[in-house]
Amino acid sequence: MTLVEPIPAMLADWVRRRAPATPVPDLAVRSDMTRGGRFGEAWLLLVGDEVLAIDGPADGRLGEPLVLPLAEFRNGRAEPLVGGGVLLADAPAGPVELLRFSCSRQAAFSRAAAYLNRLADYRREVVQGPARPPQAEEGKPTVNRCPRCGLVLGEATTVCPACLKKHKVVLRLLAYMKPSWQATALAAALMLLATFANLIPPYLTRPLIDRVLSPTAAASVAERLWLLNILVIALLAVTLGIEILRIWQGRIVTRLATQLAHRLRMDVYSRMQLHSLRFFDKHKTGGLMSRVGQDTHALEEAIIDGVPFFLSNILMLLGIGGVLVSMNWRLTLLILLPVPAVMFLSRFFWGRFKRVLHRFWHTRARLNSNLNESITGVRVVKAFAQEHQEITRFSRHSLAYATTACELELFWATFFPIMTFIMGLGSLVVWFVGGRNIIGGGTMTLGTLLTFAAYLGMFYGPLRFLSRIGDWLARALASAERIFEIIDTPADVPDPEQPVPMPAISGAIELRAVTFGYEPGKPVLNGISLAVRPGEMVGLVGKSGVGKSTTINLICRLYDVQEGAILVDGADVRRIRQEDLRRQIGVVLQDTFLFNDTILENIRYARPSAGIEDVMAAAKAANAHDFIAAKPDGYDTLVGERGTALSAGERQRVAIARAILHNPRILILDEATSSVDTDTEKQIQDAIGRLTRGRTTIAIAHRLSTLRNADRLVVLKDGRIAEMGTHDELMQARGEFHRLVEMQQQMSTIIEVT
């Protein structure tokens, strides 16, 4: 869910006219109700330092905006109302109602309010200094702040932008070069040789002009021809040597850059694998893919193209500067006059350029995220015939990306020619002053003037490049920061430093007053206590959203409990290595996922060392062997992306076979038979009945009849245990479970009659 939605053209024009310095809003969230509470369209915008709420466009007009300075924005909140909600904020004059919205936009405005609160706090603390981090109050979570400076951080990050030092990022990147320090040193030496070799050809121009080509040369024709041959051969040798050095250096730098990018990619990917599901809940898939792929590639390109040019140009400036001073220090001082103007303009434009660059990165990330979602959800798009809507949505994101990319390039298309013109004034000075000296019979010769002009051209080339060093440095360090942000984010489900050894477990599970919620202050489970004996089969029952899947996620430690504890064989799962715990838990999830590989490899994913006999035995136990054997390629059949080459029931049985091959002590079944027909369900239930003997099993099923053989049923309601007992006991109690069974039977009767 993005916080910068594509805005209508009329509103975009209005924003550009209102704030030319920040023509693209930093936040744009659409409401489906007007500020007056009628169904329509309204927008919440953050433009520069102002929070705006505005109706429209409707009938070709925009409403009168409500403007609240960000510095006065406090305690923003999306309060729920009947059938909708209202976005409120506290201002110096009292509470302000910004916008109204329907229930479908509640989540978007809750995120917008949280973002504006964090940003307003951050802006105030930058000006006033960080306040002392508040202590956690009863029932209220602590604000996510930087432990060093106290600034409010985003919910999905622990990296403080104020404390991040650019030079440390550079040093950290250099640390990645340590394994290849010998190749790095060789590349630096080659770069040094190539740079100073580039200074030789212009120097040979002076004797070529004054002693060979000048009509006033004192030497004979034969001597001039001999010297011409020597100088041309020398120029050829130097030019060839320079190109050989460049090729050698380029090949080494390319290898170094690709190795560095590989190390960074592996570090980012490995770190992501260690994070819990909460981390992936907070980060969009497209954004994570961008960090692993685009950011490492951008850094690789910066190293291959940027670092050699940057260092060689610095060396070139120093070398040429020394040569020019030795040739004519007065003329050298004259051509350096434009340099202060170049530096001043670079600093002047830098602030605006950074804002444009950040918008460019944001629009690119949104485009990637939209593309990922549309491709992943293509079946839903096709099912509801929303191709045109997706094309329109992609067009908006693509246009926003194209607009910011164009703005970025237009900036350089304007800035770079100005710099070129200013620096080009130096060459005019050389021709004017040097020409007058030669014509007036001064000490300067034509060869010296041409050599000076050649060096001057070489001098301004690096200076032009260095005027764009801000662009290159910003892109490279921003990519590095985004990569290191993932690497530096600590795992919120970490492995213990001194884990309890668990080579084998008996399967006893205990939940002690467990409270957990995906969002602060909104618990899904509230004080759940439950003890499961080894080998016992327990069914979790309740309507959708009561916390059944959440319970099994906590047992697997995909999340950590917020209060209470979960114990396996008497040990808190937070004290057990995650690998030891999950190696002994088998899971069949409701949302079956298969890799784009063969059926054999998908089943063997649970135990890569398993032989074909073990895989076939697991498939038979899951009632999958017959349909696999009937396929032309058998177990070598490719299942396609996410298993699309198989039917839903076939995918489910492959997933069950994968769990059976895992041979766990604790078996978790989350709607394991939800996607199969009645006959197949009975066969799978028989297989599961054999599989669960001697294993602790926790099963979830919406078809309550499938849990009849469970030792106990636990009925969840409103995040608590409503009742517990066997199937017959709960039916006789005529409580919540009895009500659910009756409702299900009534629905089955209606469906059969229909």
Side-chain angles (χ1 to χ4, degrees), residues 272-414:
M272 285 196 299
Q273 291 297 313
L274 298 178
H275 284 299
S276 71
L277 292 184
R278 186 182 295 277
F279 173 84
F280 295 95
D281 293 339
K282 293 178 180 178
H283 292 82
K284 288 190 174 184
T285 304
L288 293 176
M289 291 174 61
S290 175
R291 302 201 188 195
V292 177
Q294 289 186 358
D295 285 329
T296 53
H297 180 66
L299 201 55
E300 178 183 345
E301 286 188 332
I303 293 172
I304 293 175
D305 298 330
V307 172
F309 283 107
F310 173 69
L311 296 178
S312 63
N313 284 327
I314 290 290
L315 294 173
M316 187 72 73
L317 281 175
L318 295 175
I320 294 174
V323 173
L324 291 179
V325 170
S326 66
M327 293 179 64
N328 192 320
W329 65 270
R330 292 183 180 85
L331 194 55
T332 302
L333 290 178
L334 289 175
I335 65 175
L336 290 177
L337 289 177
V339 173
V342 171
M343 299 303 176
F344 173 77
L345 288 174
S346 297
R347 290 183 60 86
F348 177 78
F349 282 109
W350 177 240
R352 183 171 182 271
F353 170 71
K354 282 197 298 185
R355 291 194 296 270
V356 176
L357 193 59
H358 279 291
R359 286 198 297 271
F360 171 76
W361 290 328
H362 291 161
T363 54
R364 184 180 66 182
R366 290 197 297 268
L367 179 67
N368 290 334
S369 179
N370 172 245
L371 181 61
N372 176 72
E373 288 178 356
S374 63
I375 294 176
T376 305
V378 65
R379 290 181 175 273
V380 177
V381 175
K382 296 291 184 184
F384 290 93
Q386 294 299 316
E387 292 90 346
H388 291 294
Q389 177 179 328
E390 289 302 315
I391 292 172
T392 302
R393 187 158 68 116
F394 182 81
S395 175
R396 289 173 180 171
H397 287 292
S398 179
L399 180 60
Y401 173 69
T403 301
T404 53
C406 180
E407 189 176 358
L408 189 65
E409 294 305 322
L410 286 175
F411 174 85
W412 283 118
T414 304

Side-chain angles (χ1 to χ4, degrees), residues 613-641:
E613 297 83 3
D614 296 330
V615 173
M616 293 177 66
K620 290 176 181 177
N623 195 32
H625 176 75
D626 290 342
F627 86 77
I628 296 173
K631 293 186 176 295
D633 295 326
Y635 282 85
D636 292 328
T637 300
L638 290 171
V639 302
E641 191 78 23

Side-chain angles (χ1 to χ4, degrees), residues 444-518:
M444 180 176 287
T445 65
L446 179 61
T448 302
L449 177 60
L450 292 177
T451 301
F452 205 95
Y455 276 126
L456 184 61
M458 295 174 63
F459 181 79
Y460 280 130
L463 201 58
R464 288 192 198 97
F465 172 81
L466 292 179
S467 69
R468 295 197 65 170
I469 192 62
D471 177 25
W472 169 76
L473 190 63
R475 292 175 188 268
L477 292 185
S479 295
E481 287 175 15
R482 285 163 56 85
I483 292 169
F484 290 141
E485 182 179 1
I486 298 295
I487 295 175
D488 292 339
T489 301
D492 56 349
V493 181
D495 266 334
E497 294 182 2
Q498 296 180 340
V500 176
M502 281 286 181
I505 63 175
S506 62
I509 303 172
E510 183 181 359
L511 281 71
R512 291 183 181 174
V514 170
T515 296
F516 175 81
Y518 297 99

Side-chain angles (χ1 to χ4, degrees), residues 249-284:
Q249 170 207 320
R251 292 174 66 88
I252 293 175
V253 170
T254 300
R255 289 195 181 95
L256 288 173
T258 52
Q259 290 170 5
L260 172 63
H262 169 67
R263 295 186 192 114
L264 287 170
R265 261 194 306 271
M266 290 306 302
D267 279 0
V268 175
Y269 183 79
S270 301
R271 191 65 187 180
M272 285 196 299
Q273 291 297 313
L274 298 178
H275 284 299
S276 71
L277 292 184
R278 186 182 295 277
F279 173 84
F280 295 95
D281 293 339
K282 293 178 180 178
H283 292 82
K284 288 190 174 184

